[in-house]
Amino acid sequence: MKLQKKLLFSFVLIVLLSAILFSLLSYGSIDKNLLQYMGAVRENRLNQYEQLFRNYYLTRGSWDGVESLLQGMAAEGGRRWGRGIGMGRNGPPSFTSGTPEELLLLSPEGVVIADSTSSRIGEKISPDTYKGQIRPLYDEKGERIGFILLGLSPQSGYTRLENSFLKSVNEAVWISGGIALVIAILISLLISVGLTRPLKKLTQATQGFAKGDWSKRVKIKSNDEIGALALSFNRMADRLEQLEKVRKNLIADVAHELRTPLFILRGNLESMLMKGDPPNEERLALLHDETVRMAHMVNDLQNISLAEAGKLPLHKEKVNLISLVQKVVQIFSAQLEEKKISIHLDLGEELTFVSLDPKRIEQVLVNLIGNGIRYTPNDGVIEITGRREGERMIISVRDTGPGIAPDDLPYLFERFYRSDKGRSRTEGGTGLGLAIAKGYVEAHGGSIQAENHPEGGSIFTIRIPLESDNDL
Ligand code: ADP
C-alpha cells in the first residue's frame, strides 16, 4: 500500500474509532446525567400543569372547555421546554421549539377526559402504571378531581419532547463526527502530500543514480528527518560523483603514464631488433630506468589502493625519528648542495623513541622533503619541525617555493594530480608522491594537510597519534 493511502487509512480509522468511542461514552453519560436532569424538568412541568389545571377546576367547578386550555398549554409547554434546554430566549431556535407536549387529563376514575392530541379520549387508564409521568389533582377539600398525564412514546419510554431532545443530541454527535472525519481526511491528505512529495523527489534522484546520472541532487530544505535524509543523499551523491570521476581519471591517468615509458621501450627495442642498432650500455641503462619507473609506479598505485582499503601492512617498531629525518636529508644532500638550499631542523628530543613503520614514514618524508627541494628556488630554505602535542606527534615541512594555488589545495593528495598540467614526467614525479604520503600517514591513523605559509612557500603537516606512553 502506498504511504499516502496508509496515512489516509490510519487517519480515517482514528477518527472513526474516536467517533464511536465518543458516542458510546456520551450515550452512557446522557443516560446517567442528562436523563436525571430531564426527569427533574419533567417533574417541574408536572408541578406547573398541576397548578394550572387545579386553578381551572376551582374557578369553574368542572372540566368544561378544558380542551382548549390543554392544547394551548401543551404547545406553550413545548416552546418553554425547548427554550429551557436550547439556546435561550434570544438565541437561535431551539431543537425542540414547536414540538407540542402530549398531555392527557383523566377523571378521578382514570378515564381520559381531554387530550392534547385528541386521540385517546374515553380510554380507561390505570394511574398506578404511569409513575413519574402522572400527577393527581385535588380540590380545596382534598377530594380527587382527576389526573394529568404526560404521554410517553411506547418505543422509547420518553415524552415526545424528550425524544426530540435526545434525537438532536444524537444528530449533533454524528454531525460533529462527520465534520471531524472530513477535516481528518483533508489534514491527512495535506500531511501525506507534504511527506510523499520529497520522498518522490528522493526516489527520482536515486533512480537517476542507478541509471548512472551522477548529477542528480534533491532540493529539500525542511528541518525534519526527510530534510536530513535529503542532505545526506546530496552529500553521498557529491562523494559518489567525485569517486566516479576519480575512477575514470585513474584509468585514463594510468594509461597515460604507462604509454610514454612503453613507447620509449618499444621504439628502442624495435630499432635494435629491426634496424640492427647495437644495444650500448647507455641505451640499456635508459631502458632499465624506464622499467624501474614503471615498476615503481605500479607498486605505488598498489600501496595507495591498499592504504585506502585500510589493508596496508605496517611493520611498526620503536624508531628514532630525529635520525630518520637526518637520514632522509642526507639522501638529498647532492640536490641541496646543487641548489644551495639550506635545511633547518627543529625536532623535539621527545621524538627519539616513537612507534611507527620506519620504511613507510621514511617514504613520506622523502616525498615531502623531495617536493620541497624540487619547488624551492636556488638559495631557498627548507624548515623541518617536529614535536609532541598531547597524544600525537606533529611534523611539518616548510619550503620557500611558490606555494600552492588555492584551487589546487583540495586535490593535491589525489593520485596523478599535478597543478602544472604541462609539466613533463621527467621534470617532476609521477603525481603519486602526495597520494602515497597521505595513504601511509592515514595507515598510521594520522592525517596530512597542505597549506600556504603566510610568509610564502608551502607547509605540509602530518599528525600521527602516539600509540602509548611507551612511545616517548
Ligand atoms: P609530483 O610527483 O608530481 O610532485 P606529488 O603528488 O608529489 O606529485 O605532488 C602533486 C602536486 O602538488 C605537484 O605536481 C605540485 O604541483 C604540487 N606540490 C607538491 N609539493 C609542493 C610544494 N612543496 N610546493 C608547491 N607545490 C607542490
Side-chain angles (χ1 to χ4, degrees), residues 444-464:
H444 280 81
S447 65
I448 186 164
Q449 188 190 14
E451 291 165 285
N452 282 313
H453 196 278
E455 287 165 28
S458 53
I459 176 161
F460 287 81
T461 310
I462 59 176
R463 296 175 171 83
I464 295 181

Side-chain angles (χ1 to χ4, degrees), residues 367-376 382 397-405 408 411-421 423-425 427-437 450-452 457-460:
N367 292 2
L368 295 183
I369 297 171
N371 276 351
I373 295 170
R374 190 181 300 150
Y375 295 104
T376 299
I382 292 188
V397 178
R398 188 202 155 189
D399 61 48
T400 50
I404 303 146
D408 293 329
Y411 310 106
L412 223 53
F413 295 97
E414 280 180 14
R415 283 171 283 210
F416 298 115
Y417 189 81
R418 294 185 187 117
S419 37
D420 180 2
K421 309 279 181 298
R423 193 159 54 90
S424 84
R425 55 190 274 280
E427 277 174 62
T430 52
L432 292 175
L434 290 180
I436 281 275
E451 291 165 285
N452 282 313
S458 53
I459 176 161
F460 287 81

Side-chain angles (χ1 to χ4, degrees), residues 72-111:
M73 285 295 313
E76 173 63 14
R79 274 197 293 280
R80 269 200 273 150
W81 168 228
R83 278 203 298 271
I85 290 180
M87 305 295 289
R89 191 173 284 273
N90 300 318
S94 156
F95 56 88
T96 55
S97 69
T99 307
E101 183 86 279
E102 197 190 2
L103 203 58
L104 290 94
L105 178 68
L106 314 181
S107 69
E109 296 76 35
V111 179

